[in-house]
Amino acid sequence: MKIFLQVFLLVFSLQSFAQNISGQAYYESKTTVDLDAFGNNREMTDDMKKMIAERMKSMLEKTYILTFNKEESIYKEEVKLDANPAGGRFGMMMGSFTPGPQYKNLKTGEMVEENEFFGKQFLVTDTIKNLDWKMGKESKQIGQYVAFKATAIKKVDPNDFSMARPNRNRDRKNEEKENAEVKTDSTKIEDPMDMIEIPEEIEVTAWFTPQIPVSNGPGEYAGLPGLILELNVHRTTLLCSKIVMNPKSAEKIEAPTKGKEVTREEYIKIVKEKTEELRDNFRNSGGRRGGGF
């Protein structure tokens, strides 16, 4: 009861402040990847792992800016000059599953997001999916703000490769083959998609502050009685590093407009069909690159 009373008092005392509230929140994003868990890495040296990790750094560590008011927001990646961009098919693949600018309208429930998928620009329209948040008993200080914990279970799009993890069934089958001394064709190139699996659902942990009484947060996340300052989703942590309240000059909050307009369901279908096409091309070409839009 104490934690709910604290939240209620904070929200009640800040209602008048919320009417004209606006600001910019900067989030540092970090994603962890266990290179030892993917593929056959027995012959991969520490230097090779270090080189791969350095090349992936631009994809795994990013800064985002959420420009918000009481009802609307625009969430964008801060553009930086990358000295070591991840290139090749892997870089293109992962980049294609990273959303572009995301607009949310809390009043209408509308969400619009720009996505570039294998060289084609799409404007994805959707509704805000508010999760069934469960308030916890914990609180902590994040900067100058008191933040409260909330958790929720999120269903995962089976084509969302940002949620990929090592395929446990594959590792178990390989171990069984080794124990049974089953010989395999060493010249056969394994389908990279068989090395990973997408979980059906994941737990999301958010830390929000009623001291900034907007029901918003980074990316697609919203629905809590205060701005989300920290978010833990699968292997990614987003931590708010700076907040500028009621800035004199800030980006105008507008929905993005570039790309072919499609619904979320239509976009998921496009991604699924393209992924299957890439897999077929990979198998038919013996592992060589092939296929385009």
Side-chain angles (χ1 to χ4, degrees):
M1 290 298 295
K2 183 179 178 181
I3 188 74
F4 288 109
L5 180 61
Q6 286 178 299
V7 173
F8 174 78
L9 290 174
L10 278 168
V11 172
F12 181 78
S13 64
L14 293 167
Q15 285 302 308
S16 59
F17 171 63
Q19 300 305 313
N20 300 310
I21 192 171
S22 66
Q24 287 186 302
Y26 292 71
Y27 295 88
E28 303 297 329
S29 169
K30 288 191 177 182
T31 302
T32 59
V33 174
D34 182 6
L35 292 175
D36 291 326
F38 287 93
N40 184 4
N41 290 309
R42 295 175 181 175
E43 298 179 1
M44 187 180 290
T45 65
D46 290 339
D47 288 340
M48 292 172 66
K49 293 177 184 177
K50 184 177 179 181
M51 180 186 69
I52 293 173
E54 187 63 29
R55 293 194 65 182
M56 294 175 66
K57 188 175 181 179
S58 62
M59 292 187 296
L60 303 179
E61 297 182 12
K62 297 184 177 184
T63 301
Y64 294 90
I65 303 173
L66 177 72
T67 303
F68 62 89
N69 57 36
K70 184 184 177 184
E71 296 180 348
E72 297 176 284
S73 67
I74 187 77
Y75 182 69
K76 292 183 177 181
E77 181 182 350
E78 184 179 49
V79 179
K80 295 180 180 179
L81 183 62
D82 188 6
N84 296 295
R89 181 167 47 183
F90 180 75
M92 181 181 289
M93 173 72 79
M94 295 308 295
S96 293
F97 295 102
T98 302
Q102 294 171 291
Y103 166 85
K104 295 199 297 285
N105 188 313
L106 302 179
K107 186 176 182 179
T108 64
E110 175 191 20
M111 184 167 75
V112 182
E113 130 190 333
E114 281 184 6
N115 272 322
E116 182 181 340
F117 184 63
F118 280 88
K120 285 194 82 172
Q121 197 77 24
F122 293 93
L123 189 66
V124 183
T125 60
D126 200 358
T127 56
I128 300 173
K129 306 293 193 301
N130 285 327
L131 300 177
D132 184 17
W133 294 105
K134 307 295 183 185
M135 302 294 183
K137 297 180 179 180
E138 300 173 55
S139 65
K140 67 179 180 180
Q141 195 81 16
I142 299 180
Q144 67 187 75
Y145 300 98
V146 178
F148 298 91
K149 184 179 181 180
T151 58
I153 300 299
K154 175 187 175 183
K155 292 189 179 298
V156 178
D157 172 9
N159 298 299
D160 185 353
F161 290 94
S162 66
M163 297 291 177
R165 65 188 182 192
N167 190 331
R168 298 167 184 172
N169 292 328
R170 170 185 171 276
D171 292 339
R172 185 162 52 249
K173 289 178 181 179
N174 287 343
E175 185 177 347
E176 290 173 355
K177 286 182 181 180
E178 290 179 1
N179 292 336
E181 296 184 351
V182 177
K183 292 184 178 180
T184 58
D185 184 0
S186 60
T187 63
K188 184 179 179 181
I189 300 176
E190 186 173 8
D191 185 345
M193 301 299 290
D194 290 336
M195 300 179 187
I196 61 174
E197 63 179 2
I198 311 297
E200 293 183 0
E201 59 183 27
I202 55 171
E203 183 178 65
V204 178
T205 300
W207 294 85
F208 68 96
T209 179
Q211 290 173 263
I212 304 178
V214 293
S215 186
N216 215 325
E220 65 192 86
Y221 298 94
L224 286 165
L227 182 67
I228 297 173
L229 299 183
E230 182 179 330
L231 194 67
N232 298 288
V233 184
H234 196 38
R235 295 175 288 103
T236 298
T237 296
L238 281 158
L239 180 62
C240 185
S241 59
K242 182 176 72 171
I243 295 178
V244 181
M245 296 304 302
N246 301 316
K248 292 181 179 180
S249 61
E251 178 184 4
K252 190 175 182 180
I253 300 175
E254 294 180 325
T257 58
K258 295 180 181 178
K260 178 183 177 181
E261 186 172 331
V262 294
T263 64
R264 178 69 64 185
E265 291 73 20
E266 290 170 335
Y267 184 69
I268 289 174
K269 183 179 179 181
I270 291 169
V271 172
K272 181 179 180 181
E273 290 176 350
K274 181 61 179 178
T275 303
E276 288 302 318
E277 178 190 330
L278 290 172
R279 294 189 74 177
D280 290 340
N281 289 340
F282 184 88
R283 297 187 191 104
N284 295 333
S285 64
R288 294 185 301 275
R289 181 178 180 177
F293 241 122

